Amino acid sequence: MLLLGVAAGVVLSIAVLTAASWPRTEVVYRSASPASLPYDGSPYFLRMEQVSDLSGDVSYRMVIGREADAPYGHWLPVQTGMGREGIRSAAWTESELRIRFATGHELSVPAGAFTGGR
């Protein structure tokens, strides 16, 4: 009986640890603004994340903000097909961040949308 209780405890512990580690987030692309750009005196960072949930579904999102790994910033969902193919390039200018996806799509994010503490 004691052995059965220990086995149940181990199985329950593994299940709880597995569930607690989801969703899984992996950064699949990073870019930093050039030091020469005058974005309110701060560098800015772009990252695209792949998020996998417990059911196996995968989604993608981009975050643009002042810190490379901050949990806050300007968040943008990315269509799964575009996210899966990836980002080809990111071009930072004074007025915008232009993102080119491997699918051929382009996205322009105005600098005012991600600067100033957003």
Side-chain angles (χ1 to χ4, degrees), residues 4-112:
L4 183 59
V6 170
V10 169
V11 169
L12 182 59
S13 296
I14 290 171
V16 167
L17 289 173
T18 300
S21 69
W22 293 90
R24 289 200 180 277
T25 302
E26 177 185 355
V27 176
V28 294
Y29 182 86
R30 290 183 189 271
S31 177
S33 65
S36 61
L37 283 177
Y39 296 135
D40 63 25
S42 298
Y44 279 81
F45 302 89
L46 161 69
R47 72 178 182 272
M48 186 164 70
E49 300 175 341
Q50 175 183 303
V51 181
S52 304
D53 67 19
L54 195 53
S55 70
D57 287 340
V58 174
S59 61
Y60 294 86
R61 62 188 179 201
M62 290 186 303
V63 186
I64 308 166
R66 286 185 177 156
E67 296 180 31
D69 293 314
Y72 56 87
H74 184 69
W75 293 77
L76 298 162
V78 176
Q79 181 186 27
T80 302
M82 289 170 47
R84 186 177 298 121
E85 293 295 320
I87 294 175
R88 181 181 305 150
S89 66
W92 301 81
T93 68
E94 287 186 37
S95 61
E96 70 178 351
L97 168 57
R98 181 165 298 276
I99 302 156
R100 291 178 179 85
F101 292 88
T103 59
H105 293 86
E106 290 189 13
L107 175 66
S108 173
V109 182

